[in-house]
Amino acid sequence: MSSLDNELACELESRAKHGLTRRLRSLEHPGGCYVYVDGKIVTEFASNNYLGLAFDPVTSGRVTESDFGSGSTGSRLVTGNYTVHEELECAIAALKATDAALIFPSGYQAAVGTIPALVGRNDLILSDQHNHACLIDGCRLSRATVRVYDHNEPKHARALLSDRAQFRRCLIVTDGVFSMDGDIADLPALADLRDEFDAWLMVDDAHGTGVLGETGAGSAEFLGVRDRVDVHMGTMSKALGCAGGFIAGSRTLIDHLIGSARSFMFSTAPAPVTSGSAIGAINAIRDMPERREKVLDNARFLRAGLRALGFSVPHGDTPIIPVLIGSAQAAVALADALLDQDIYVVAIRPPTVPDGTSRLRVTVTALHTRSDLDTCLDAFDVAIRRLGWMPRFAG
Ligand SMILES: *Cc1c(COP(=O)(O)O)cnc(C)c1O
């Protein structure tokens, strides 16, 4: 074994001891909410395909590879800027009701490019304790002073702003819908802090976009604070069923990012075919409000059913339903027992979530039927009988 392999094998072994091994599972999608795992077809309650658009003809076929080739051949600033990218940006700006928008190859890249383009050494960032990894990494890259406030506690954030005057700029950054908890940020309270302390508010609405709000614009629309968010971030990889990240906001913000967000400048533009699909998905969000109703209805039903079985499931209004377990090993055992019964749910363990808060992250889509949901609840019921324990999450 080489020195590198030796060293890394030790690390892998120690991770395995703590139930933290990560493996890639090969999946195939026959469509709908079903998936082939390990050679059998199972019902999936794990994806972010909330509206079922990832396998829907409305999102594909608008632009094909034969129209543009398979790649965009360069950065947007060099040879990679196509009409389809600009059309998509117009569609995003319309959805978010902002002046302008800018697309990135992924949501991750949108975050790590944008935060350092806005704040630097003499600036202050307030970041929610449960923010997504891409926001955390963006904060680190910026070299600003980062203060982490307790999850969804604007009062704590406020206390951390007492010496705001010592800093040049101040950015408050939060997930709109928290990806592993499924709760919604208290955006009105954060917007008040923005106004009071001359701060800017950035919301990563990866999971709210397309799902929440009257028009599907997301959590800021849902909470009535669209105009008080300076930087609307999102991704087309979740409810839109495509790929690519975006920032929406003022024309000035977007013009600034074009010349200073490094992950935008130094990365090849998204494949035109992907951006074409995303336009189809945004049109679907506008034209198919019944999908939003369906997914939220399904979420309410499944959440209530899991609570009735005795699981520790926080209240919430989104399709992300965390079933809190505690230890990583127990979470994996429950997920395995569900897979045995053809229900695919994923155990979420550290470092994605804090130690001792491992969970099953159950998600629903607009494609699940009432009978799919009943089957899922039955499987949970059988699983705890077979395992002989009921998770009592002490929190
Ligand atoms: C998935 C996710 C991202 C990353 O988006 P990608 O387009 O998949 O890179 C960013 N933020 C949150 C909250 C997410 O859940």
Side-chain angles (χ1 to χ4, degrees):
M1 255 200 186
S2 68
S3 147
L4 176 137
D5 285 344
N6 250 328
E7 183 83 18
L8 300 187
C10 288
E11 219 174 294
L12 286 169
E13 210 170 289
S14 115
R15 242 182 264 171
K17 255 185 227 143
H18 296 96
L20 297 178
T21 297
R22 303 230 172 181
R23 272 202 196 87
L24 293 171
R25 214 167 222 152
S26 296
L27 306 178
E28 307 233 13
H29 271 280
C33 56
Y34 308 102
V35 65
Y36 284 102
V37 183
D38 303 337
K40 64 174 182 174
I41 191 161
V42 301
T43 311
E44 184 202 311
F45 290 86
S47 84
N48 301 313
N49 184 25
Y50 304 121
L51 303 178
L53 293 176
F55 303 99
D56 195 299
V58 297
T59 49
S60 51
R62 195 182 164 282
V63 177
T64 65
E65 285 188 10
S66 54
D67 293 331
F68 286 98
S70 52
S72 57
T73 79
S75 158
R76 293 279 299 285
L77 291 164
V78 188
T79 57
N81 189 39
Y82 294 97
T83 327
V84 68
H85 296 134
E86 294 178 352
E87 272 180 38
L88 173 56
E89 288 170 344
C90 286
I92 293 168
L95 174 68
K96 292 284 174 177
T98 57
D99 292 347
L102 188 69
I103 57 168
F104 290 72
S106 72
Y108 194 100
Q109 277 174 265
V112 298
T114 299
I115 297 172
L118 297 177
V119 287
R121 278 192 198 285
N122 301 311
D123 303 327
L124 174 65
I125 297 177
L126 288 195
S127 172
D128 188 285
Q129 184 192 5
H130 287 188
N131 273 350
H132 190 266
C134 67
L135 298 179
I136 296 171
D137 294 351
C139 291
R140 287 179 181 154
L141 274 175
S142 76
R143 299 171 203 208
T145 299
V146 181
R147 293 184 183 156
V148 176
Y149 59 88
D150 294 343
H151 174 54
N152 224 353
E153 291 290 349
K155 281 202 187 104
H156 186 215
R158 179 170 229 292
L160 296 176
L161 278 165
S162 59
D163 60 348
R164 158 73 182 93
Q166 308 289 313
F167 298 89
R168 186 184 59 147
R169 299 170 176 173
C170 176
L171 181 70
I172 302 171
V173 60
T174 182
D175 283 18
V177 172
F178 290 89
S179 54
M180 297 300 138
D181 304 271
D183 54 343
I184 304 174
D186 188 347
L187 297 181
L190 295 176
D192 288 345
L193 294 180
R194 163 202 184 255
D195 295 343
E196 185 180 341
F197 290 90
D198 182 27
W200 303 336
L201 180 56
M202 172 168 175
V203 178
D204 171 2
D205 211 19
H207 296 278
T209 302
V211 174
L212 296 178
E214 187 72 28
T215 69
S219 48
E221 180 185 40
F222 182 69
L223 295 172
V225 292
R226 297 175 88 162
D227 298 339
R228 301 169 74 201
V229 173
D230 301 282
V231 185
H232 296 266
M233 181 194 142
T235 174
M236 292 164 278
S237 65
K238 308 272 158 77
L240 276 66
C242 301
F246 65 81
I247 297 289
S250 69
R251 184 72 252 170
T252 316
L253 168 69
I254 299 309
D255 287 343
H256 171 73
L257 293 177
I258 288 172
S260 56
R262 293 169 64 82
S263 61
F264 173 83
M265 301 165 74
F266 302 109
S267 192
T268 298
V273 63
T274 311
S275 296
S277 302
I279 295 173
I282 291 181
N283 291 340
I285 285 168
R286 184 194 59 210
D287 299 339
M288 304 164 111
E290 67 280 2
R291 295 243 184 154
R292 282 197 288 288
E293 280 164 36
K294 182 75 194 298
V295 66
L296 295 176
D297 208 38
N298 279 349
R300 271 187 291 272
F301 181 84
L302 195 56
R303 205 178 273 271
L306 288 165
R307 292 171 72 94
L309 285 175
F311 287 98
S312 176
V313 178
H315 289 284
D317 304 297
T318 74
I320 302 170
I321 307 170
V323 178
L324 297 171
I325 307 291
S327 86
Q329 285 92 343
V332 170
L334 184 53
D336 286 347
L338 291 167
L339 189 56
D340 260 357
Q341 302 172 73
D342 301 340
I343 295 294
Y344 185 46
V345 171
V346 176
I348 305 289
R349 299 163 286 168
T352 309
V353 293
D355 263 334
T357 72
S358 287
R359 67 200 61 188
L360 300 190
R361 178 180 182 269
V362 179
T363 58
V364 280
T365 71
L367 301 177
H368 288 104
T369 62
R370 189 49 62 93
S371 134
D372 291 324
L373 304 183
D374 284 332
T375 309
C376 177
L377 291 170
D378 286 345
F380 266 92
D381 197 19
V382 170
I384 47 176
R385 281 171 219 278
R386 281 198 197 153
L387 289 168
W389 46 258
M390 181 68 196
R392 285 272 163 248
F393 182 70

